[in-house]
Amino acid sequence: MSYVGPEFEHPQPRRPRRGPLTVAVAALVPGALLGWLVYEAVGGAGGDGGASQATVRTSATATSSAPADDARNTGSSTPTLASPTSSAPAASGPLKGKVVVIDPGHNPGNFQHTTEINRKVNIGTNSKECDTTGTSTNSGYTEAQFTLDVSHRLEALLEKQGATVKLTHDGNSPAWGPCVDQRAQIGNKAHADAAISIHADGSATGNRGFHVILPGSVHAGAADTRPIVASSADLGAHIAGYFVRVTGSAPSNYVGNGTGIVTRTDLGGLNLSTVPKVFIECGNMRDSKDAALLTSGAWRQKAAQGISEGIVSFLHGS
């Protein structure tokens, strides 16, 4: 996600005071991060973040091409959300009966709908822009393209596990957005067992690695995250651990103090959620080394696999 704009203000690089929740999350993540440190020590990751040598569990490979960037104006001032994209009927599998909502960050059509996405919406604590355009690599590969590609791959992997999967949008439907409050509502109305918003960051060159964003405790206006803070932290810890293990990528070197975990209270998609939900910033699109990973279809498949395994582990309670 681009940190340009009020919805995505860059967190301050200060060391937060560690409360009980932070300690609890930290206790869940080190096992997987220890695997990363061992992997680094033996030279596995190298200069490319380890994407070419990381061990990946056997899985069917989902194919997904990047969407076109020329979504057309539907003439509507509000994106249509009556039918969020749903997967085919769930197959038999260990996740049969489970519902997962995937939220591909931004939308390729946002560039053509700046007036609409700049409209303010209430996120409980205050008002924010409906959405933003997101960031891109220096070569022009957009975050919206990246998030849709990874989301489609993740959808296919979860369907094979038997889950019912819903996407908040599919690039062309709706033609822009949805707004951040509506993205949360889709997961809430689906009574999702887990929800995840897929992003890539737009930080400074040299800032590398992934991080998972957890909802902080918010109780203001329409926002009340208190019932989902603990379960979301559990979901995020599982995803962070498996993301390291499968992709070989390091946790962020610029937020999260090396844990790959960040807690925020300024994101509408988290503040308004009533189901366990996290964001993942898969890497920094503005750094050339991270960008080389994010633009690789093989690495995006690993990213989807790591996220999928984290969600499966969370839903299994393991």
Side-chain angles (χ1 to χ4, degrees), residues 169-292:
H169 72 95
D170 202 21
N172 291 319
S173 178
W176 55 272
C179 296
V180 294
D181 57 339
Q182 294 168 316
R183 291 171 186 260
Q185 290 166 12
I186 291 171
N188 297 345
K189 291 178 180 178
H191 302 289
D193 296 286
I196 183 165
S197 189
I198 309 295
H199 287 270
D201 208 352
S203 190
T205 298
N207 289 344
R208 297 197 60 196
F210 78 93
H211 61 279
V212 176
I213 304 174
L214 312 178
S217 182
V218 174
H219 184 211
D224 187 359
T225 61
R226 294 174 299 175
I228 64 159
V229 165
S231 56
S232 296
D234 190 23
L235 172 63
H238 280 82
I239 290 173
Y242 279 94
F243 199 84
V244 167
R245 193 177 306 179
V246 176
T247 67
S249 291
S252 170
N253 65 4
Y254 59 101
V255 291
N257 298 316
T259 65
I261 298 289
V262 176
T263 300
R264 293 175 62 177
T265 59
D266 63 320
L267 300 176
L270 295 181
N271 284 5
L272 299 174
S273 181
T274 60
V275 299
K277 184 176 182 179
V278 299
F279 281 38
I280 183 168
E281 300 280 3
C282 296
N284 177 20
M285 299 196 100
R286 308 303 292 181
D287 178 84
S288 60
K289 292 181 179 179
D290 268 11

Side-chain angles (χ1 to χ4, degrees), residues 141-157:
Y141 181 59
T142 68
E143 182 183 2
Q145 289 176 290
F146 170 82
T147 64
L148 277 170
D149 183 88
V150 172
S151 294
H152 287 146
R153 295 170 187 267
L154 177 59
E155 176 186 28
L157 291 168

Side-chain angles (χ1 to χ4, degrees), residues 1-292:
M1 109 192 17
S2 170
Y3 280 114
V4 177
E7 174 66 9
F8 307 117
E9 295 165 359
H10 200 294
Q12 296 298 313
R14 64 180 183 274
R15 184 180 298 272
R17 297 180 63 184
R18 296 180 181 271
L21 175 61
T22 304
V23 173
V25 172
L28 294 172
V29 179
L33 299 189
L34 178 61
W36 157 255
L37 295 174
V38 173
Y39 190 74
E40 270 287 281
V42 299
D48 64 354
S52 62
Q53 299 183 42
T55 301
V56 182
R57 301 186 182 192
T58 304
S59 67
T61 300
T63 57
S64 176
S65 58
D69 283 334
D70 61 348
R72 298 294 183 246
N73 191 338
T74 62
S76 172
S77 61
T78 303
T80 302
L81 299 177
S83 301
T85 303
S86 300
S87 66
S92 296
L95 296 187
K96 186 172 179 62
K98 299 293 186 181
V99 177
V100 179
V101 169
I102 303 172
D103 177 28
H106 312 289
N107 187 318
N110 282 358
F111 288 97
Q112 287 81 38
H113 295 273
T114 54
T115 299
E116 291 90 341
I117 66 171
N118 284 333
R119 177 174 62 85
K120 295 292 184 68
V121 298
N122 192 300
I123 66 166
T125 52
N126 60 303
S127 294
K128 292 288 189 70
E129 273 71 11
C130 158
D131 201 1
T132 71
T133 57
T135 188
S136 69
T137 65
N138 293 331
S139 63
Y141 181 59
T142 68
E143 182 183 2
Q145 289 176 290
F146 170 82
T147 64
L148 277 170
D149 183 88
V150 172
S151 294
H152 287 146
R153 295 170 187 267
L154 177 59
E155 176 186 28
L157 291 168
L158 291 171
E159 284 177 349
K160 289 183 180 294
Q161 296 286 326
T164 297
V165 182
K166 298 178 183 293
L167 271 65
T168 59
H169 72 95
D170 202 21
N172 291 319
S173 178
W176 55 272
C179 296
V180 294
D181 57 339
Q182 294 168 316
R183 291 171 186 260
Q185 290 166 12
I186 291 171
N188 297 345
K189 291 178 180 178
H191 302 289
D193 296 286
I196 183 165
S197 189
I198 309 295
H199 287 270
D201 208 352
S203 190
T205 298
N207 289 344
R208 297 197 60 196
F210 78 93
H211 61 279
V212 176
I213 304 174
L214 312 178
S217 182
V218 174
H219 184 211
D224 187 359
T225 61
R226 294 174 299 175
I228 64 159
V229 165
S231 56
S232 296
D234 190 23
L235 172 63
H238 280 82
I239 290 173
Y242 279 94
F243 199 84
V244 167
R245 193 177 306 179
V246 176
T247 67
S249 291
S252 170
N253 65 4
Y254 59 101
V255 291
N257 298 316
T259 65
I261 298 289
V262 176
T263 300
R264 293 175 62 177
T265 59
D266 63 320
L267 300 176
L270 295 181
N271 284 5
L272 299 174
S273 181
T274 60
V275 299
K277 184 176 182 179
V278 299
F279 281 38
I280 183 168
E281 300 280 3
C282 296
N284 177 20
M285 299 196 100
R286 308 303 292 181
D287 178 84
S288 60
K289 292 181 179 179
D290 268 11

